[in-house]
Amino acid sequence: DGGITQSPKYLFRKEGQNVTLSCEQNLNHDAMYWYRQDPGQGLRLIYYSQIVNDFQKGDIAEGYSVSREKKESFPLTVTSAQKNPTAFYLCASTQVGEGSHEQFFGPGTRLTVL
Amino acid sequence: QQQVKQSPQSLIVQKGGISIINCAYENTAFDYFPWYQQFPGKGPALLIAIRPDVSEKKEGRFTISFNKSAKQFSLHIMDSQPGDSATYFCAASTSGTYKYIFGTGTRLKVLA
């Protein structure tokens, strides 16, 4: 089955720790995205990448880092610099070029800081 | 100018009724307007999308109405069912950017 997988589903972090959220897609999509979802605030873009080895900051990149070493993988690291990291994190992907703009989403990772 | 304003924040509808969710935008460069449906604890999934060259698009019980001059678009859910209870997000995008601007979401509850 083609799709996007995120792991883990639930993640607990102590204050001061860095954690890495995994996102893998087998849709052969060029572009990948990380969003943060908080109640009542919709989806806010953290980082996005349209090609391997290149990525851009979104609207709320402070305290986060990413890498794009492979087309199918786009891991997100939540660093200790992120002051309020408890949230639901969503990864998405889309094809670049002619055709549909549809972004496909993964099932999400819920991060809780203890 | 990059915002997409969505209303209402929450909506309660009786089974069989019509659910209407509205979105407004300012950036006239937007040319793709999708609606996503999200169930609790899951990722959003595309429900229906429209481009500004048409004023309406219908897929089953779901219809998007688009008013280019008013810079508004809305989602209509006909014959609403309890299974439609979810959060709905509108979004807007400009060709070539591959970035979405999302509305803040509407939590819909359909009463049985």
Side-chain angles (χ1 to χ4, degrees):
Chain A
D1 288 336
I4 301 177
T5 57
Q6 291 185 240
S7 62
K9 186 174 177 66
Y10 299 97
L11 185 57
F12 298 90
R13 190 195 92 173
K14 294 181 180 179
E15 284 193 24
Q17 286 183 335
N18 293 356
V19 290
T20 297
L21 283 58
S22 170
C23 178
E24 303 277 334
Q25 54 98 0
N26 61 5
L27 300 168
N28 200 33
H29 285 169
D30 296 301
M32 297 185 73
Y33 308 81
W34 274 106
Y35 293 92
R36 171 179 170 142
Q37 185 173 21
D38 297 282
Q41 295 195 47
L43 281 69
R44 293 184 290 167
L45 183 63
I46 304 172
Y47 269 98
Y48 64 104
S49 167
Q50 295 188 6
I51 195 169
V52 174
N53 293 322
D54 187 48
F55 48 83
Q56 285 77 42
K57 293 182 179 180
D59 302 318
I60 56 165
E62 185 176 351
Y64 300 97
S65 66
V66 293
S67 64
R68 186 85 187 278
E69 297 177 1
K70 298 186 296 182
K71 185 176 183 178
E72 60 270 23
S73 179
F74 192 40
L76 173 74
T77 296
V78 184
T79 75
S80 56
Q82 169 52 234
K83 297 306 178 188
N84 185 21
T86 294
F88 190 51
Y89 291 87
L90 289 159
C91 179
S93 71
T94 191
Q95 188 56 278
V96 170
E98 293 295 322
S100 171
H101 279 214
E102 179 180 356
Q103 286 192 12
F104 293 80
F105 283 83
T109 292
R110 185 165 299 280
L111 173 63
T112 302
V113 174
L114 302 174
Chain B
Q1 194 176 23
Q2 280 291 91
Q3 281 187 322
V4 176
K5 296 183 179 180
Q6 183 172 347
S7 63
Q9 187 173 4
S10 62
L11 183 60
I12 299 175
V13 173
Q14 293 288 337
K15 179 182 177 182
I18 302 173
S19 304
I20 303 174
I21 304 170
N22 301 297
C23 285
Y25 64 97
E26 290 295 325
N27 187 349
T28 55
F30 289 146
D31 60 2
Y32 180 70
F33 301 91
W35 283 90
Y36 278 78
Q37 180 189 56
Q38 184 182 30
F39 294 104
K42 306 294 184 184
L46 180 67
L47 191 61
I48 187 172
I50 198 169
R51 293 191 181 274
D53 53 346
V54 297
S55 61
E56 185 175 283
K57 183 175 182 180
K58 184 176 181 179
E59 290 184 2
R61 294 184 295 109
F62 301 93
T63 300
I64 298 179
S65 297
F66 186 82
N67 186 330
K68 189 174 181 178
S69 60
K71 291 183 282 187
Q72 296 176 348
F73 58 109
S74 60
L75 176 70
H76 296 237
I77 306 174
M78 311 301 288
D79 188 26
S80 298
Q81 299 296 312
D84 297 330
S85 297
T87 299
Y88 293 82
F89 293 96
C90 63
S93 177
T94 303
S95 292
T97 67
Y98 306 102
K99 287 175 63 179
Y100 284 6
I101 307 299
F102 281 92
T104 51
T106 296
R107 183 176 291 185
L108 171 65
K109 184 176 179 65
V110 181
L111 302 177

